[in-house]
Amino acid sequence: MSGLAMPALDTATLARRDEIVADMRIIVPGEGVVDTENAMRPFETDALTAYRQLPLVVVLPQTTAQVARILKYCSDRNIRVVPRGSGTSLSGGALPLGDAVLLVMSRFNRILDIDYANRTVTAQPGVTNLGITNAVQHEGFYYAPDPSSQIACSIGGNVAENSGGVHCLKYGLTANNVIGVEMVLMNGEVVRLGGKHLDAEGYDLLGIMTGSEGLLGVVTEVTVRILKKPETARAVLLGFPSSEQAGQCVADIIGAGIIPGGMEMMDRPAIKAAEDFVQVGYPLDVEALLIVELDGPGAEVDHLIAEVEAIAGRNGSTTCRISTSEEERMAFWAGRKAAFPAVGRISPDYLCMDGTIPRKELPKVLAGMRELSEKYRLRVANVFHAGDGNLHPLILYDANKDDELERAEAFGADILRLCVKVGGVLTGEHGVGVEKRDLMPEMFSEDDLNQQIRVKCAFDPNHLLNPGKVFPQLHRCAELGRMHVHRGQVAFPDIPRF
């Protein structure tokens, strides 16, 4: 795996492979176990295709009881487990290990409950993001977080990565829309966090689980909040002579107290790739394109569109096109949501990065990326959630050419270092996985990372769940300090403990 350091293979587990496969077939009978090389090949990578590794065995359970039995079996025998949803992770979060059971949750694909009165949907983790909206849209409801991969990505994977999407500026990320989960711990214990009620007492364990990247437990059920579809939603296409002017327009819109339903930005390479791919009428004579969506009551939307148009004019916009129908609004978004596959048509390979910066630093970071592009002799196309500063630079390379992958990885690492340097963070919604794992010390001190690992230890003391992800160096839980008991009493006995 191209210089990527992963945990050493456990020879004892490899020696017992046949026994493990046979036992998995007992737990998950029928076609739920995949163990031949050719059949496992589709599972060797996720959407970060630069890294590939065949798992020990692929297991596709269908019930929570099966998941619990699998995890307890592996815990008792010190076997590693890598959870996987739909495999759309862009950070290598579902990258298999050669000595680990790959636990694929795609057969958990049913919606269990729709409660319009409480505005909730309870679904199994293999249900797609878009599948939730499709199940309730006939009643005028929808699920707000909408990653570009929403047609394929699973709601369980969304919980693991705390996914966002083009509408998260106004309606929040997965963490703001998930209100309960059922999950299985590594020891096989089934627990519930949250539910249809507003809040739970004690520690915010649901908040810890959302975005935990499969390191703490395996989610087997998700309860999400659904929203009533806005009365009116219209999108505005705004073209600018420079990315700096577009970035200032974004800041001025937010500064005016306007919170759009979505606000996305694309640079010239991304605009051209998207327009060639979907042909929705994007202007090709601009350096930057903003898509701003306003939603709410019709009169309010009309007023806000006029405000946005005026702000854009003051920032030098050369193009302004307002959607006049739902079909045209969806067409505006089609190009943005197809930006990733569109770029795939103009380059054999690309790395999709994911960093977040303060909005005011956008011009500086874009200028820095141009300099890095020249340094590494690689092209970059930019698409990003402009409203919340979540950048998605697409670094174009050809893996068949000498050292281009290595240059692309170094280019991406420098982009993320730049994000942190200007006061941003390493990831907005794709997660850390293996892609950003070794950059964690750029953002966190050793004490910070050790404290995070202590949380991991509380859920998974033997580090069997998704090892090699997120943390650049794991410590044995005992190394991070033992609880001191004096005369039978622990310190602060009133604090809840795991």
Side-chain angles (χ1 to χ4, degrees), residues 397-415:
Y397 72 99
D398 185 346
N400 293 317
K401 293 184 177 179
D402 289 344
D403 85 345
E404 280 211 5
L405 172 57
E406 288 74 19
R407 278 191 281 138
E409 291 175 323
F411 186 178
D414 277 352
I415 289 174

Side-chain angles (χ1 to χ4, degrees), residues 53-75:
Q53 170 65 54
L54 284 174
L56 178 75
V57 61
V58 178
V59 183
L60 298 96
Q62 281 186 294
T63 68
T64 300
Q66 289 175 346
V67 173
R69 287 183 63 191
I70 292 166
L71 292 183
K72 183 169 182 6
Y73 174 95
C74 292
S75 178

Side-chain angles (χ1 to χ4, degrees), residues 293-321:
E293 180 169 292
L294 292 311
D295 62 15
E300 178 186 356
V301 170
D302 290 342
H303 170 73
L304 292 177
I305 285 177
E307 290 281 307
V308 167
E309 190 175 2
I311 292 170
R314 290 196 292 272
N315 281 284
S317 67
T318 56
T319 301
C320 179
R321 183 175 158 201

Side-chain angles (χ1 to χ4, degrees), residues 129 144-148 161-168 172-174 385 428-429:
N129 173 288
D146 56 342
S148 295
E161 303 292 352
N162 191 20
S163 303
V166 300
H167 289 93
C168 67
L173 300 161
T174 300
H385 308 310
E429 57 174 338

Side-chain angles (χ1 to χ4, degrees), residues 255-443:
I258 300 170
I259 306 297
M263 185 156 51
E264 300 291 298
M265 186 168 162
M266 305 165 69
D267 67 4
R268 182 185 280 270
I271 296 165
K272 186 176 187 314
E275 177 60 20
D276 288 346
F277 189 46
V278 296
Q279 299 178 354
V280 293
Y282 284 175
L284 298 177
D285 59 346
V286 298
E287 288 298 322
L289 182 69
L290 280 183
I291 308 174
V292 184
E293 180 169 292
L294 292 311
D295 62 15
E300 178 186 356
V301 170
D302 290 342
H303 170 73
L304 292 177
I305 285 177
E307 290 281 307
V308 167
E309 190 175 2
I311 292 170
R314 290 196 292 272
N315 281 284
S317 67
T318 56
T319 301
C320 179
R321 183 175 158 201
I322 303 167
S323 66
T324 57
S325 67
E326 179 66 7
E327 291 72 25
E328 189 173 23
R329 182 184 75 86
M330 295 302 291
F332 286 2
W333 285 117
R336 166 60 185 88
K337 285 182 173 281
F340 293 175
V343 168
R345 298 174 74 223
I346 63 174
S347 175
D349 304 283
Y350 68 84
L351 285 181
C352 175
M353 307 307 296
D354 166 52
T356 301
I357 61 172
R359 283 185 297 268
K360 66 183 178 66
E361 301 293 348
L362 188 56
K364 180 189 294 187
V365 171
L366 290 174
M369 278 195 267
R370 284 194 289 270
E371 293 175 5
L372 291 170
S373 178
E374 293 176 7
K375 173 183 176 180
Y376 289 104
R377 307 187 312 281
L378 293 171
R379 294 175 296 160
V380 61
N382 280 293
V383 295
F384 38 89
H385 308 310
D388 56 9
N390 186 196
L391 312 181
H392 293 314
L394 305 174
I395 300 170
L396 314 185
Y397 72 99
D398 185 346
N400 293 317
K401 293 184 177 179
D402 289 344
D403 85 345
E404 280 211 5
L405 172 57
E406 288 74 19
R407 278 191 281 138
E409 291 175 323
F411 186 178
D414 277 352
I415 289 174
L416 294 176
R417 289 189 182 99
L418 178 59
C419 289
V420 174
K421 183 179 179 180
V422 301
V425 296
L426 290 173
T427 179
E429 57 174 338
H430 292 175
V432 176
V434 296
E435 177 202 35
K436 309 178 188 75
R437 179 195 66 190
D438 297 334
L439 292 171
M440 288 285 274
E442 299 284 339
M443 182 173 168

